[in-house]
Amino acid sequence: MTARAVLLRTGYRTFLRPLLFRAHHGDPEAIHEDMITWLERLGASPAVRGLLRLLHGGAANPVSVAGVAFPGRVGVAAGLDKDGRAALAWQAFGFGFAELGTVTGLAQPGNDRPRVFRLRESSAIINRMGFNNLGARAMAERLDGLGVRRGNLQVGVPLGISLGKTKAVPLDAAAEDYLTSLRALAPFADYIAVNVSSPNTPGLRSLQGADHLGALLGALTREAEHLAAAEPLGAVPIFLKIAPDLSWNEVDAVLETACEQNVRGVIATNTTLTRHGLAPADEARAAEAGGLSGVPLTARAREVVTYITAHSPLPVIASGGIMSATDAEAMFDAGARLVELYTGFIYEGSGLIAAINALPPTRRTA
């Protein structure tokens, strides 16, 4: 680990994290909302962004995936910045891209609170947020106001946008709901992530079944081609985010469908419904509904990434259980082209980004 990474990690663990974790009587969601508010304010100042870039260093080891040039291999996972409020800030922390959302066709409040639970001894989080967001149109207006356009790097890094299904929309109308979001956001997205794997919207994971998935992905990729008629960059690439709880036969079927429908990449994985690997002190939380992320997901997410890269030509963005530079390096060695952080960023801070950026390029990501 570099001196910069050690300094950032020590400062976060010693000073900032204890303050954050105690704020709002330890309410993780309220703390998260404050964090996004502060990042939005910091990002609005070019001078502050410049100082933060000096402190954190820049992204490293650029890589091209699905025609998108990423200046670095580590990015923001969906869920961290649901409405794109902190879009201007992410580059300043050393991220090489940011995946905004998950956003839905219609604004929705998400599930009832409390819906986020920190499992400190396990370095994990359980969440059942339920795609709370202001809707696709509001995100489009926000990004338009920032001057973002696909490919212009207005916020310094490529932006992915994760799309989900509005809870009130029935499953048989899901495709049109996703299309509503795609039409609103394609002009601003360097790639689109299709989230059919969150465990927190009733029935959503059933869209990973071959029949539902083929129809949905086909509709999205065809619409992306249609929208690209006046787009010099061509169709916005569509990526698919999958669950870690699928069997290998189910993964095979998903990959086959994705390739048939011209999907350009896979994001592996979302949160898990299993509760393996929890520390004894956290086992009382196991009964909480929702998806589990963090250290208990590390091994399974790496297994899924390894399987996909061995069985499919699609490039993989690794997401899930990346809590250290060693975890990221293992994902790169398994064949991932990029990695994303959420829970790792919450527990380890920006030192984790610096440590991953300091990793040497591997043969598979160079």
Side-chain angles (χ1 to χ4, degrees):
M1 189 179 293
T2 65
R4 184 197 303 274
V6 170
L7 177 64
L8 291 169
R9 181 175 184 264
T10 301
Y12 182 75
R13 283 187 160 194
T14 305
F15 301 107
L16 186 54
R17 189 175 74 179
L19 290 174
L20 287 173
F21 280 19
R22 286 198 300 266
H24 294 287
H25 304 288
D27 179 349
E29 185 170 357
I31 295 165
H32 189 102
E33 289 169 348
D34 276 359
M35 179 189 75
I36 293 298
T37 296
W38 279 106
L39 289 175
E40 182 179 15
R41 292 172 180 171
L42 293 173
S45 168
V48 172
R49 294 200 306 270
L51 288 173
L52 288 171
R53 281 195 296 270
L54 285 174
L55 176 64
H56 292 92
N61 298 315
V63 60
S64 180
V65 178
V68 181
F70 293 88
R73 298 181 294 175
V74 55
V76 177
L80 200 57
D81 190 5
K82 290 179 177 292
D83 292 305
R85 292 173 54 198
L88 284 170
W90 297 120
Q91 182 202 27
F93 291 91
F95 283 111
F97 64 102
E99 190 172 304
L100 309 179
T102 294
V103 67
T104 53
L106 301 173
Q108 60 182 26
N111 296 322
D112 293 340
R113 299 192 189 202
R115 53 193 180 181
V116 186
F117 307 90
R118 191 186 304 118
L119 287 65
R120 292 190 61 171
E121 297 302 313
S122 305
S123 295
I125 293 171
I126 291 174
N127 94 82
R128 52 172 179 263
M129 300 291 284
F131 294 161
N132 55 304
N133 74 105
L134 298 176
R137 185 173 298 279
M139 182 181 283
E141 291 173 355
R142 183 185 301 278
L143 296 178
D144 185 49
L146 294 175
V148 172
R149 292 295 182 275
R150 181 182 165 206
N152 73 355
L153 299 182
Q154 179 69 14
V155 300
V157 293
L159 293 178
I161 301 179
S162 174
L163 308 185
K165 185 187 78 70
T166 304
K167 183 177 181 179
V169 170
L171 286 173
D172 59 8
E176 189 56 41
D177 189 56
Y178 280 87
L179 287 168
T180 295
S181 297
L182 176 67
R183 291 171 185 135
L185 292 165
F188 311 102
D190 293 290
Y191 70 87
I192 292 290
V194 181
N195 186 345
V196 291
S197 51
S198 169
N200 300 320
T201 295
L204 184 73
R205 284 190 169 190
S206 68
L207 294 176
Q208 293 177 117
D211 291 341
H212 284 303
L213 189 62
L216 173 62
L217 294 178
L220 290 169
T221 54
R222 287 191 299 272
E223 185 65 14
E225 290 286 351
H226 173 72
L227 294 171
E231 171 58 69
L233 295 176
V236 61
I238 305 291
F239 295 172
L240 175 65
K241 188 168 187 175
I242 69 170
D245 305 324
L246 300 174
S247 69
W248 297 133
N249 286 339
E250 289 170 327
V251 173
D252 288 337
V254 166
L255 294 175
E256 181 178 0
T257 301
C259 287
E260 289 173 350
Q261 301 301 333
N262 298 314
V263 167
R264 303 290 300 280
V266 177
I267 302 169
T269 65
N270 214 314
T271 56
T272 180
L273 287 172
T274 68
R275 295 295 186 261
H276 305 310
L278 294 182
D282 294 324
E283 287 179 354
R285 288 292 193 191
E288 294 288 355
L292 174 69
S293 60
V295 166
L297 181 56
T298 301
R300 178 57 182 173
R302 187 166 61 245
E303 287 178 350
V304 175
V305 168
T306 301
Y307 187 90
I308 293 172
T309 58
H311 292 83
S312 173
L314 293 172
V316 176
I317 301 176
S319 180
I322 300 168
M323 307 294 288
S324 69
T326 300
D327 294 334
E329 189 169 36
M331 288 296 198
F332 294 136
D333 289 342
R337 306 298 304 283
L338 302 163
V339 298
E340 294 179 340
L341 305 180
Y342 184 134
T343 305
F345 182 62
I346 299 300
Y347 276 95
E348 301 298 328
S350 58
L352 176 55
I353 308 163
I356 297 173
N357 281 331
L359 291 171
T362 63
R363 178 179 60 83
R364 302 188 76 163
T365 58

